[in-house]
Amino acid sequence: MLTSIDIKNFILIESLHLSLGHKMSVLTGETGAGKSILLDAVAFALGAKADAKIIQTKAEQATVALSFNLKPDHPARAILAEHEIPADTELDFRRTISRDGKGKIFINDIPVSAQVAAAIGETLVEIHGQFDNQALLNAAKHLEILDKYAGNAKLLEKTAAAYAKLSAAEGELETMRADFAKARADEDYLRYNFDELQTLAPIRAGEESELDSTRRNLMQNEKASAAISDALSKLGHSPDKPLADAAAQLARVKDNAKIKSIIENLEAAETLINDAHAALEKLAPANDTRTLEETEARLFKLRELARKHRTTPDELPALLKNMKDTLANISNSDETLKKKEAEVEKLRAAFTRIAEDLSAARKKSALDLSAKVMAELAPLKLAAATFTVDISPAKPSARGIDSAAFTGATNFGGKPAPLAKIASGGEMSRFMLALKVVLLVSSYPITMIFDEVDTGISGATSNAVGERLSKLGTKMQTLVITHSPQVASFGDSHFKVIKTADTENKKTITEVMHLDAKTRVREIARIISNEKITAEALAAAEKLLKH
């Protein structure tokens, strides 16, 4: 709910503070007093386009601030949270613009763009002015409005869920078809690659590192074997014979202690060299080059195929399995596709049943809504007008199989057309009023502002308009700018817009006065008597206020 409006240096308004009630408030005043300036100020604060021309003469900056009371479940909170704007129970908009055309918008003192302000503003205020684009004229929202009016929330939820399943299955089917088509085209090449990998089977993760380790060990063993063979060749078959022969020659020398010691050393050396020779012979197994060659061949082939398929050797087993599965799928592709197609058809049938139920509910509610709006048009001096909610087929979506459009005509025999193209400003306001009265709280209650809703009407028609605005005001805050005494008499609060001349500063100023019971009678009498207040006009005003 809009609780207050504060304006400074905006067009003809130098300074204004306006506190609003929660039901129906009316604004009256002389023609040209500036009643619509308030409407412009609200639109400006909520992100409408503006330039420096709105700044009052001699001022450097214009400012408009709006305060709203925000309920915990208000839809604006979702947008506020998205943009990290803190909000308790009060929401404050403040917008400024300076002479250089630069401006700023703040929501609860957080700077925001005009787009963000407008998005939040749409959930708070709906302005029905002669040249404004109302939400009810937006064809893109007509189906949503109809569904809210019909109470189709559960059907919509079921339809969206069925469509999500169908869309997912259709996507899987298309992917499957594309994969199978590509696989068939590449089948020969795929089978060649599969056979090439299959020749290495079994392949397992970690085999490359094991083969590499085995290869290194075999290469080390080969080097050691070669060294042992060389050593044995150097030693010959009887490496101890020269030592034994030398010892035998020295044994001829008798009773020579030194010679005896040398012989002992030669005999010890003979024993050691025999032991070394025997040990080397044991360490010299047959050199198995075939094992090393086989190890290297498998290792290098694994690495070659990994490079070919742009993967790692450890991922080759999974690649082989995928190839095997793909080839099997190609063989069974027709059967697989038939199963998937049957699943899609089953889901399509389920979606169609639910969407048709939703469509039937919409068509029934469309007739009901059309009839109720038509019933409201006659008292609003639109007896010749027609209103229809057209339901037509649409491409299946999460919202069903329908599109909706509000159409009408203002004259007998007129061809129905979109509302935005068939009515003048005053007629449009009354069309919107009729729709809003019927819809009432089909959408979240917001502040409704009506301008020129009484254009071209009087008497009983004006009374009917006032009654409907008052009825609307019981459900949502309503602000009405009016020239009609009948409409004004229905307001729960009444404000008068006054334009005065500031001769000292040579400028015109617009002010707003809250009327009490006595001044309200005089204001309505002024409207009745066309400015000159007479006793008869006062009596008529008092009578109007007693309804």
Side-chain angles (χ1 to χ4, degrees), residues 10 26 43 102 109 133 144 169 177 246 292 320 341 349 363 420 442 445 474 477 496:
F10 187 89
V26 296
K102 295 181 180 179
D109 294 325
N133 294 317
E144 178 184 347
R177 283 172 174 161
L292 176 59
L320 180 63
E341 286 167 352
K363 289 171 182 176
S442 62
T474 64
Q477 184 187 38
K496 182 179 180 180

Side-chain angles (χ1 to χ4, degrees), residues 453-469:
V453 72
D454 54 358
T455 299
I457 62 172
S458 60
T461 304
S462 293
N463 198 66
V465 170
E467 285 180 345
R468 280 150 182 78
L469 288 168

Side-chain angles (χ1 to χ4, degrees), residues 428-466:
M428 185 65 68
S429 293
R430 282 178 277 155
F431 255 108
M432 295 302 101
L433 177 59
L435 268 168
K436 274 296 178 183
V437 168
V438 174
L439 294 171
L440 284 177
V441 290
S442 62
S443 59
Y444 197 90
I446 62 177
T447 297
M448 299 285 296
I449 301 178
F450 288 93
D451 188 22
E452 297 197 29
V453 72
D454 54 358
T455 299
I457 62 172
S458 60
T461 304
S462 293
N463 198 66
V465 170

Side-chain angles (χ1 to χ4, degrees), residues 26 30 42 157 164 176 180 197 249 327 428 445 507 519 540:
V26 296
E30 298 176 8
V42 170
E157 186 177 336
M176 191 178 291
F180 283 155
L197 275 175
Q249 292 297 326
L327 288 169
M428 185 65 68
K507 62 181 179 179
T519 52

Side-chain angles (χ1 to χ4, degrees), residues 186-386:
D186 299 338
E187 184 176 3
D188 290 342
Y189 182 64
L190 178 64
R191 194 168 295 281
Y192 169 80
N193 285 326
F194 173 76
D195 291 341
E196 187 178 36
L197 275 175
Q198 185 67 23
T199 57
L200 287 177
I203 311 173
R204 52 189 172 78
E207 185 181 6
E208 184 219 12
S209 62
E210 291 177 10
L211 287 171
D212 186 60
S213 177
T214 299
R215 174 175 175 264
R216 291 176 186 277
N217 289 335
L218 287 172
M219 291 174 68
Q220 289 295 329
N221 290 342
E222 187 177 72
K223 290 179 180 178
S225 179
I228 291 170
S229 295
D230 288 345
L232 286 171
S233 67
K234 296 293 184 184
L235 291 173
H237 295 292
S238 301
D240 59 332
K241 189 174 184 304
L243 297 175
D245 290 345
Q249 292 297 326
L250 291 174
R252 294 176 185 178
V253 181
K254 304 295 184 183
D255 300 323
N256 189 318
K258 289 183 178 181
I259 293 297
K260 185 178 181 179
S261 176
I262 291 170
I263 292 172
E264 290 175 352
N265 288 337
L266 287 171
E267 289 175 344
E270 182 183 351
T271 300
L272 289 173
I273 200 167
N274 281 332
D275 290 344
H277 188 269
L280 282 173
E281 285 183 328
K282 289 182 180 179
L283 289 175
N287 186 21
D288 191 356
T289 58
R290 183 174 56 83
T291 301
L292 176 59
E293 289 173 357
E294 289 176 352
T295 300
E296 287 184 332
R298 186 170 181 83
L299 174 63
F300 295 158
K301 191 64 177 179
L302 283 174
R303 289 174 174 174
E304 176 192 339
L305 291 178
R307 287 193 299 272
K308 176 180 178 179
H309 295 288
R310 297 181 181 180
T311 185
T312 65
D314 284 349
E315 291 172 335
L316 287 176
L319 178 63
L320 180 63
K321 184 179 182 304
N322 287 341
M323 288 180 178
K324 184 178 181 180
D325 292 344
T326 301
L327 288 169
N329 285 339
I330 292 173
S331 300
N332 301 320
S333 60
D334 290 341
E335 183 180 349
T336 303
L337 282 174
K338 284 179 181 178
K339 287 182 180 179
K340 194 65 181 180
E341 286 167 352
E343 178 190 343
V344 169
E345 286 306 313
K346 185 177 179 181
L347 290 172
R348 182 176 287 113
F351 166 74
T352 300
R353 285 195 300 271
I354 297 171
E356 286 176 347
D357 289 343
L358 176 59
S359 183
R362 284 168 171 166
K363 289 171 182 176
K364 181 180 178 181
S365 295
L367 292 173
D368 182 65
L369 177 58
S370 298
K372 287 182 178 178
V373 172
M374 286 287 290
E376 291 290 335
L377 292 177
L380 295 173
K381 204 177 180 181
L382 290 170
T386 59

